Amino acid sequence: AQSVSQHNHHVILSEAASLELGCNYSYGGTVNLFWYVQYPGQHLQLLLKYFSGDPLVKGIKGFEAEFIKSKFSFNLRKPSVQWSDTAEYFCAVNAPYNQGGKLIFGQGTELSVKP
Amino acid sequence: DGGITQSPKYLFRKEGQNVTLSCEQNLNHDAMYWYRQDPGQGLRLIYYSQIVNDFQKGDIAEGYSVSREKKESFPLTVTSAQKNPTAFYLCASSALATDTQYFGPGTRLTVL
């Protein structure tokens, strides 16, 4: 069965620090990859996605992610975090040609940015 | 305004009662989904529907039921058979089953 693993459950950073959140998945076929963000009290929003093409994907609010097929990874990065980036971040994967494209989520990483 | 609406935002029920959570979308999406979110477990798929009058069980369907009589509506019933129903429930939709999913604001259900 497919699975998605996020390495860090809780990350605490100071403003202006760089961010990298790890995400690994276990499926050898074609995948679509997503990062979602859930700000406190708000609903889940799409940060960025990768379907095909350039493996370096840019999203909203200065976030980017790199798909490394050989490592089954899709890590999220931001060069300089802000207090407003405090949120929970979810990596998700679906296999469009398998299991009806069900979206499998990681456990989530809670990011706390200290002002 | 286009989007996904879920109501109510907070819901309290007594143990042993069935409760139905509403999800409506006006995005003209074919596919709709229900997830359950628990702290430290991410989102887990309860049921999904790729087309009207058809739906499939997700990973944790036991104790839940759904219907998809209209394209824009996908209500979820949490039955008394669900052993641990207190959770945050999220509804999502996508144009096609393999497309990006968009989420509603969620319903927080507390069973007393």
Side-chain angles (χ1 to χ4, degrees):
Chain A
Q2 297 172 51
S3 66
V4 178
S5 177
Q6 292 183 237
H7 309 153
N8 310 100
H9 294 298
H10 193 187
V11 173
I12 302 172
L13 295 173
S14 298
E15 274 194 316
S18 64
L19 170 72
E20 181 160 2
L21 300 182
C23 174
N24 285 90
Y25 63 93
S26 65
Y27 183 70
T30 301
V31 291
N32 297 330
L33 300 155
F34 306 83
W35 275 98
Y36 285 88
V37 61
Q38 191 172 35
Y39 297 104
Q42 296 188 29
H43 63 273
L44 213 60
Q45 302 171 39
L46 181 69
L47 257 185
L48 48 78
K49 63 184 178 183
Y50 172 82
F51 279 20
S52 64
D54 188 344
L56 185 60
V57 179
K58 295 196 185 297
I60 60 171
K61 304 188 181 188
F63 286 91
E64 66 178 30
E66 185 175 12
F67 171 48
I68 303 180
K69 189 174 182 179
S70 61
K71 294 185 178 181
F72 300 90
S73 71
F74 190 54
N75 292 354
L76 181 71
R77 300 194 291 247
K78 186 171 183 178
S80 176
V81 294
Q82 301 172 314
W83 177 78
S84 58
D85 293 324
T86 295
E88 191 158 17
Y89 293 80
F90 294 93
C91 180
V93 175
N94 76 13
Y97 305 112
N98 185 51
Q99 297 185 323
K102 282 168 41 177
L103 196 58
I104 309 297
F105 282 84
Q107 308 94 312
T109 296
E110 187 179 343
L111 172 65
S112 300
V113 180
K114 299 184 291 184
Chain B
D1 256 352
I4 303 170
T5 56
Q6 291 185 243
S7 60
K9 188 172 181 180
Y10 297 97
L11 190 55
F12 296 88
R13 279 295 181 268
K14 291 183 179 178
E15 197 171 332
Q17 289 181 333
N18 291 357
V19 59
T20 298
L21 281 57
S22 165
C23 177
E24 304 277 331
Q25 54 98 0
N26 61 4
L27 301 167
N28 201 33
H29 285 172
D30 283 316
M32 295 187 74
Y33 312 81
W34 274 105
Y35 294 89
R36 172 182 169 135
Q37 184 178 6
D38 296 284
Q41 297 193 53
L43 279 71
R44 294 180 291 167
L45 182 65
I46 304 172
Y47 268 97
Y48 64 106
S49 168
Q50 297 183 5
I51 197 167
V52 175
N53 293 322
D54 188 41
F55 48 83
Q56 286 79 40
K57 292 182 179 180
D59 300 316
I60 55 164
E62 186 176 348
Y64 300 98
S65 66
V66 293
S67 62
R68 185 87 188 276
E69 296 175 3
K70 298 186 295 183
K71 187 175 184 177
E72 58 270 22
S73 178
F74 191 41
L76 172 75
T77 297
V78 184
T79 75
S80 56
Q82 167 50 232
K83 293 177 184 174
N84 186 19
T86 294
F88 189 51
Y89 290 88
L90 288 165
C91 179
S93 71
S94 62
L96 298 172
T98 55
D99 281 342
T100 303
Q101 293 181 24
Y102 296 92
F103 286 80
T107 293
R108 188 167 297 280
L109 172 65
T110 302
V111 175
L112 305 170

